[in-house]
Each structure stands twice: as C-alpha cells, then as structure tokens.
C-alpha cells in the first residue's frame, strides 16, 4: 500500500496519551494515528453521506415507508 506523510500538531496531553499507548502496546504512534484517521473518516463519511441523503429525501416530497413495512431480507439482493 502506498503511503504519504502527514504532519500535524496536537495538544501535549494528546501526544502524551498517544505516546503512553504506543509504549504499552509496542506499536508506533504512527500506527495509532493512522488507525484513528481511518476510523474517524469512516464515521465522518457515514455522517455526511447520511445527512446529504436525508436532505435529498426531504426535498423530494417522496413518501416514507414505515420501518415495519420494509422487507429487510430482500434489500441488497
């Protein structure tokens, strides 16, 4: 996997917590920062894509379907 370097500044208390976690687990600070960024991006993408879909739905004047009427087993097939 190709990587690129990202430099940023964080509060000293966050750096110290990250440093302690890395020391206790034998992994690098970079490992945890990369993992945190990946997880955070997934959460942010989910949030904003859902927000956009919700706004699009409200603007469409389409009728909603009650939750109990959705055939969940047939979705995605």
């Amino acid at each position: 996997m190709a990587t690129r370097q990202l430099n940023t500044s964080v509060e000293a208390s966050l750096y110290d917590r990250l440093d302690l976690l890395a020391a206790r687990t034998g992994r690098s600070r970079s490992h945890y920062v990369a993992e945190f960024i990946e997880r955070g991006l997934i959460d942010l993408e989910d949030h904003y894509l859902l927000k956009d879909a919700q706004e699009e739905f409200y603007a469409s004047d389409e009728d909603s379907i009650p939750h109990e009427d959705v055939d969940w087993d047939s979705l995605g097939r």
Side-chain angles (χ1 to χ4, degrees):
M1 165 179 38
T3 62
R4 293 188 181 173
Q5 187 167 342
L6 176 67
N7 295 313
T8 189
S9 297
V10 296
E11 292 181 18
S13 62
L14 292 176
Y15 187 92
D16 292 344
R17 288 172 59 193
L18 181 60
D19 205 34
L20 182 59
L21 177 63
R24 284 186 175 174
T25 61
R27 293 186 181 261
S28 68
R29 287 186 302 270
S30 294
H31 168 82
Y32 289 111
V33 170
E35 183 176 340
F36 182 78
I37 290 171
E38 182 177 1
R39 288 183 184 195
L41 277 175
I42 289 169
D43 289 347
L44 289 173
E45 289 165 341
D46 287 348
H47 171 79
Y48 286 106
L49 292 175
L50 176 61
K51 181 178 169 277
D52 291 347
Q54 185 179 33
E55 289 174 0
E56 184 179 319
F57 171 74
Y58 289 150
S60 74
D61 283 336
E62 291 182 32
D63 291 330
S64 62
I65 301 170
H67 187 267
E68 59 273 6
D69 292 346
V70 175
D71 182 5
W72 296 103
D73 293 329
S74 68
L75 293 176
R77 293 183 182 175

